């Protein structure tokens, strides 16, 4: 009955299924033959142990992949949203450097509010998940403020580079647990930030608006096409 329990749990996953239908059909056929061999008179010896284990492994792998792709589809709208926020905030900061603080305060407030709305609308941020996301964001904000208090930046360019590097690190760490595409996104944002910081002596904010915002938007679209 262990096979039946596994199949039951697999069917109850609340995620979309993205895998090859022929492989799943073959796995399901083998599992059913094992489970009900005594009832339908099939000699269980016709199915090898290796076949049964392979079928279980394929189904388990499919379940993990489905869960990962499900998370990608939930994350993608947030990446597209924050890509737009980055473009607007960095672009306005380049044009109005004296008002950069106010611009980012407004942009982050609007972005956070819209992120919460998207999460609630998709039913993904309810209960513990919602509290965990909020706790992570608060932790990042507190860490940034503490770092600036201990090591105050000497220029606005340093501030503009530090936050993307922190976010890039967060994406890499998140991707280690939830999918390599987030690792790629974090590495890309980090590399583009460092490239612009050391090679551009002016209009760094415009650089981040263009390449940083585009990286988030394009990755969001990439995650959505699964």
């Amino acid at each position: 009955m262990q096979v039946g329990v596994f199949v039951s749990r697999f069917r109850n996953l609340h995620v979309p299924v993205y895998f090859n239908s022929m492989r799943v059909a073959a796995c399901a056929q083998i599992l059913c033959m094992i489970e009900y061999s005594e009832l339908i008179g099939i000699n269980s010896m016709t199915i090898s142990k290796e076949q049964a284990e392979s079928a279980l492994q394929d189904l388990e792998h499919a379940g993990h992949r489905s869960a990962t792709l499900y998370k990608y589809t939930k994350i993608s709208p947030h990446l597209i949203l924050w890509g737009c926020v980055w473009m607007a905030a960095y672009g306005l900061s380049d044009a109005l450097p004296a008002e950069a603080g106010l611009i980012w305060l407004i942009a982050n407030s609007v972005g956070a509010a819209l992120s919460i709305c998207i999460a609630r609308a998709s039913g993904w941020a309810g209960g513990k998940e919602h509290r965990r996301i909020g706790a992570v964001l608060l932790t990042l904000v507190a860490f940034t403020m503490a770092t600036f208090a201990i090591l105050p930046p000497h220029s606005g360019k340093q501030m503009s580079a530090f936050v993307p590097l922190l976010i890039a690190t967060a994406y890499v760490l998140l991707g280690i647990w939830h999918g390599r595409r987030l690792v790629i996104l974090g590495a890309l944002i980090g590399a583009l930030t460092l490239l612009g910081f050391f090679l551009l002596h002016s209009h760094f904010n415009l650089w981040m608006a263009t390449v940083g915002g585009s990286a988030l938007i394009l990755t969001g679209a990439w995650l959505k096409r699964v």
Side-chain angles (χ1 to χ4, degrees):
M1 295 303 293
Q2 291 180 350
V3 175
V5 172
F6 180 84
V7 173
S8 177
R9 290 179 179 177
F10 181 77
R11 288 175 177 174
N12 289 333
L13 284 174
H14 296 289
V15 294
V17 180
Y18 301 92
F19 44 74
N20 188 284
S21 59
M22 292 183 65
R23 172 178 287 187
V24 174
C27 294
Q29 183 179 8
I30 293 173
L31 292 174
C32 288
M33 291 173 68
I34 297 171
E35 181 73 12
Y36 301 108
S37 58
E38 295 183 0
L39 294 178
I40 61 179
I42 296 178
N43 185 359
S44 60
M45 294 301 293
T46 60
I47 302 173
S48 68
K49 179 180 179 181
E50 289 74 16
Q51 286 179 307
E53 290 179 350
S54 176
L56 288 171
Q57 289 174 359
D58 283 345
L59 281 176
E60 186 175 3
H61 174 73
H64 288 314
R65 177 168 172 77
S66 295
T68 298
L69 297 180
Y70 174 75
K71 291 174 183 177
Y72 282 162
T73 60
K74 293 298 184 179
I75 292 172
S76 63
H78 297 275
L79 294 179
I80 294 173
L81 167 65
W82 283 101
C84 295
V85 171
W86 270 32
M87 281 189 168
Y90 273 115
L92 290 174
S93 296
D94 184 77
L96 303 169
E99 304 297 333
L102 178 61
I103 290 171
W104 275 104
L105 177 61
I106 296 174
N108 287 331
S109 299
V110 172
L114 291 177
S115 286
I116 293 173
C117 290
I118 292 173
R120 287 180 174 176
S122 64
W124 190 48
K128 291 183 178 180
E129 193 69 28
H130 180 67
R131 291 192 294 271
R132 286 175 179 172
I133 292 174
V136 169
L137 293 176
L138 289 176
T139 301
L140 291 176
V141 171
F143 177 77
T144 302
M145 295 176 65
T147 302
F148 286 162
I150 297 173
L151 302 171
H154 298 289
S155 68
K157 185 179 179 181
Q158 287 179 311
M159 295 180 64
S160 297
F162 177 80
V163 174
L165 288 176
L166 179 62
I167 293 174
T169 302
Y171 279 132
V172 171
L173 294 176
L174 184 63
I176 291 173
W177 293 101
H178 296 295
R180 69 184 65 179
R181 297 188 189 187
L182 294 177
V183 175
I184 294 173
L185 172 61
L188 180 62
I189 291 177
L192 291 174
T193 301
L194 292 174
L195 183 66
F197 183 84
F198 288 110
L199 297 183
L200 294 178
H201 300 291
S202 60
H203 299 294
F204 173 69
N205 285 328
L206 191 59
W207 165 266
M208 291 305 301
T210 304
V211 299
S214 298
L216 289 172
I217 293 173
L218 292 176
T219 303
W222 180 33
L223 295 185
K224 208 167 186 178
R225 294 175 62 84
V226 295

